[in-house]
Amino acid sequence: STADSFLLAISESNQVPTSQRETTTKLNRSRTIGVVAVQPGTGDVVYDEFLDDSERSALRTRLAHICPCELLLPDNTSAETQKAVDEFCASRKSQGDIVRSELLANSGIDYSSAFGQLSTFYQVAQVCQRQLSDDENSDDDCETEKETPQRA
């Protein structure tokens, strides 16, 4: 249902943390995966970063628990990660749900810019919430302060 629907972004890196490096061939297809899920209706945010195996077992578990309605992936996503996402989308479709999946040009994902835009968004939201609790007529001021970030 849309009341509990999360939007989820996935990123991955070939870099394996030094503390988790091994000499097995299975590790060659392992990736460090990052996920951020946002529930727009409530403002809930879930995030994680983890080393995943070649089958993307940990990613599959997170997809099943978060159950997003929309996925955003970089266009250079590995075949293993894309397969896990495709299989998740197919399983949700067989249950009557449609999960939207979109590839974003990797150049469009910039940590510093994204962090700054999210920080600004939540600061404005807090100011508006305080204004609304102080004065019901301040809604107009908040609407002019809230601008959607370019990459949001």
Side-chain angles (χ1 to χ4, degrees):
S1 81
T2 56
D4 58 354
S5 299
F6 278 87
L7 309 176
L8 186 127
I10 299 172
S11 68
E12 65 181 351
S13 170
N14 292 337
Q15 296 177 340
V16 177
T18 307
S19 63
Q20 297 181 4
R21 287 190 181 143
E22 299 171 12
T23 57
T24 63
T25 56
K26 196 172 189 182
L27 195 60
N28 291 339
R29 292 195 343 235
S30 297
R31 297 284 189 271
T32 299
I33 307 284
V35 295
V36 176
V38 178
Q39 205 301 331
T42 64
D44 291 342
V45 177
V46 178
Y47 59 92
D48 197 6
E49 182 179 76
F50 48 93
L51 180 64
D52 209 351
D53 60 22
S54 61
E55 297 298 315
R56 302 299 183 260
S57 302
L59 176 61
R60 291 172 191 271
T61 299
R62 283 159 179 83
L63 288 171
H65 285 279
I66 296 170
C67 203
C69 66
E70 188 167 341
L71 295 161
L72 183 62
L73 299 101
D75 61 1
N76 62 349
T77 300
S78 69
E80 295 85 5
T81 298
Q82 188 64 55
K83 180 180 177 186
V85 167
D86 290 346
E87 290 174 359
F88 170 76
C89 292
S91 73
R92 297 298 299 162
K93 187 173 184 178
S94 70
Q95 297 171 19
D97 293 331
I98 294 180
V99 178
R100 183 174 177 266
S101 179
E102 184 174 334
L103 295 176
L104 178 68
N106 201 34
S107 62
I109 300 173
D110 172 41
Y111 172 81
S112 298
S113 175
F115 185 80
Q117 290 174 354
L118 278 174
S119 296
T120 301
F121 175 81
Y122 281 107
Q123 287 170 353
V124 169
Q126 286 177 340
V127 168
C128 289
Q129 192 169 24
R130 275 187 248 126
Q131 287 177 354
L132 289 172
S133 64
D134 292 344
D135 180 7
E136 289 295 321
N137 295 328
S138 65
D139 189 45
D140 292 338
D141 295 337
C142 289
E143 290 304 319
T144 58
E145 289 183 46
K146 287 189 252 179
E147 291 185 23
T148 305
Q150 273 186 325
R151 296 184 186 173

